[in-house]
Amino acid sequence: MTSRDHLSDLFSLDGLTALITGGSSGIGRAVAGALARAGASVVIVARKERELASTVEELTADGCRAGWVSGDLGTRDGVRTAAERAVAVFGEPDILVNSAGVNLRPPMGELDDDVWDTTMAVNLEAPHLLGQRFGPGMAERGYGRIIHVTSQQAHRAFADSGAYGVSKGALESLARSQAEAWSPYGVTCNTLVPGFVMTPLNARLSSDPEKVAALAARTMVGRNGLAEDFAGAAVFLAGRSSAYVTGQSLFVDGGFSSH
C-alpha cells in the first residue's frame, strides 16, 4: 500500500454526504470546503443567498460536489423546512456539522427575552432539531458523524458570555447526550472548540486592535485563529478514522485554553 492509499483509507470522505449549517462564511465555510475537497458531497445551509452561491461556485470550480439551501434556523418550522430541502439535494446526510450561530452579547443586566430566545433558537435548538431529524437515520444505517462548533465560553466566562456562553455550554452537553444515544450504532458526536477566530461572527472584537493583540497573547502559538485552522480537525472528526472518538470537545485554539 502506498502512503497515498493509506492516507485515503484514513481520511477520504468519498461516498459520504455532509450537511453544514453556517457553511457560507467563517469556520463553517472552511469546514465545508475541507469536507468537500476530501470527497464528500456537501450541502450548505445558511441565510444569505449571495454568500451561499459564492461558496458553492468556488467548490464546484474545484471539482467538488456541492449545493446550497437558504433557510432560517431561528424557528422550528424554518429548521425543519431547511432540513428537508437539504435532503432533496444529495439525499440523507452521513455527516452533520452545526456551525451556524448568533453572537448577541449585551451585558448580563441588559440581557432581555428577545436576545435569550434568539440565541437559544439558533445556537442550541437548531442543532437539537437537526440531530433529532438525522441522528436516528444515521444510527439505522450504521454510520454517522455529528460535529458541533462551540466556544471557549462553554468552559469559561469572558466578554459578556451571557446567553451566548450558556448556549454553547448546553451544546456541548447536547453532544454528549447524542453520543450516549447513538454511538453504539456507529454515530459519533463531538464538538470543535475555537479560540478567538478572525471571522465575521467576531467582528465586534476584531475591530479593536488592542483586544485582538491581547487575545493573541493568551495563546501559546502567538496568534489568533483563522477559519482554515479547522479544516484538518473537521475532516478527521467527519471520517472513518475517528470511529473511537465520541462525546469529546476538541480544542482548536492555539493553546488558548491551556495558557
Side-chain angles (χ1 to χ4, degrees):
M1 177 182 290
T2 67
S3 60
R4 184 182 297 272
D5 291 337
H6 179 60
L7 288 173
S8 181
D9 285 346
L10 283 175
F11 301 115
S12 172
L13 303 181
D14 287 346
L16 300 177
T17 297
L19 189 162
I20 299 99
T21 71
S24 62
S25 66
I27 293 172
R29 180 168 179 157
V31 168
L35 301 190
R37 293 180 177 99
S41 299
V42 165
V43 182
I44 300 167
V45 177
R47 288 178 303 161
K48 298 178 180 178
E49 294 190 5
R50 174 180 285 185
E51 292 182 2
L52 284 162
S54 173
T55 303
V56 168
E57 182 179 351
E58 176 186 313
L59 293 176
T60 54
D62 283 349
C64 300
R65 193 166 183 245
W68 60 268
V69 167
S70 176
D72 177 11
L73 300 180
T75 69
R76 290 177 177 175
D77 287 344
V79 173
R80 291 173 175 137
T81 298
E84 298 314 313
R85 291 180 63 197
V87 167
V89 181
F90 296 129
E92 295 285 328
D94 309 289
I95 303 159
L96 170 64
V97 181
N98 289 302
S99 185
V102 295
N103 191 15
L104 308 172
R105 292 194 270 186
M108 194 69 185
E110 300 173 16
L111 198 165
D112 60 23
D113 291 348
D114 287 342
V115 169
W116 178 270
D117 291 344
T118 299
T119 302
M120 295 303 162
V122 178
N123 293 5
L124 179 61
E125 186 162 28
H128 162 65
L129 292 173
L130 291 171
Q132 294 297 98
R133 169 61 181 84
F134 297 121
M138 292 177 181
E140 185 175 339
R141 295 190 299 274
Y143 184 93
R145 300 289 183 265
I146 298 177
I147 303 167
H148 304 295
V149 179
T150 62
S151 170
Q152 295 288 324
Q153 292 177 47
H155 301 266
R156 55 190 55 79
F158 63 94
D160 292 322
S161 290
Y164 181 81
V166 173
S167 71
K168 293 300 187 177
L171 188 54
E172 296 207 354
S173 291
L174 175 64
R176 290 188 290 271
S177 294
Q178 291 171 330
E180 180 188 28
W182 297 321
S183 294
Y185 309 101
V187 183
T188 67
C189 308
N190 296 286
T191 70
L192 289 170
V193 188
F196 176 70
V197 184
M198 304 290 279
T199 68
L201 192 67
N202 282 325
R204 182 182 65 167
L205 282 175
S206 60
S207 64
D208 186 329
E210 290 187 4
K211 288 184 179 178
V212 169
L215 288 164
R218 288 185 61 172
T219 71
M220 291 181 175
V221 301
R223 67 169 176 86
N224 290 309
L226 302 172
E228 52 264 36
D229 290 324
F230 294 81
V235 170
F236 167 65
L237 290 180
R240 298 169 180 86
S241 59
S242 62
Y244 203 57
V245 180
T246 194
Q248 302 302 309
S249 299
L250 176 58
F251 288 78
V252 183
D253 64 0
F256 186 101
S257 56
S258 301
H259 198 198

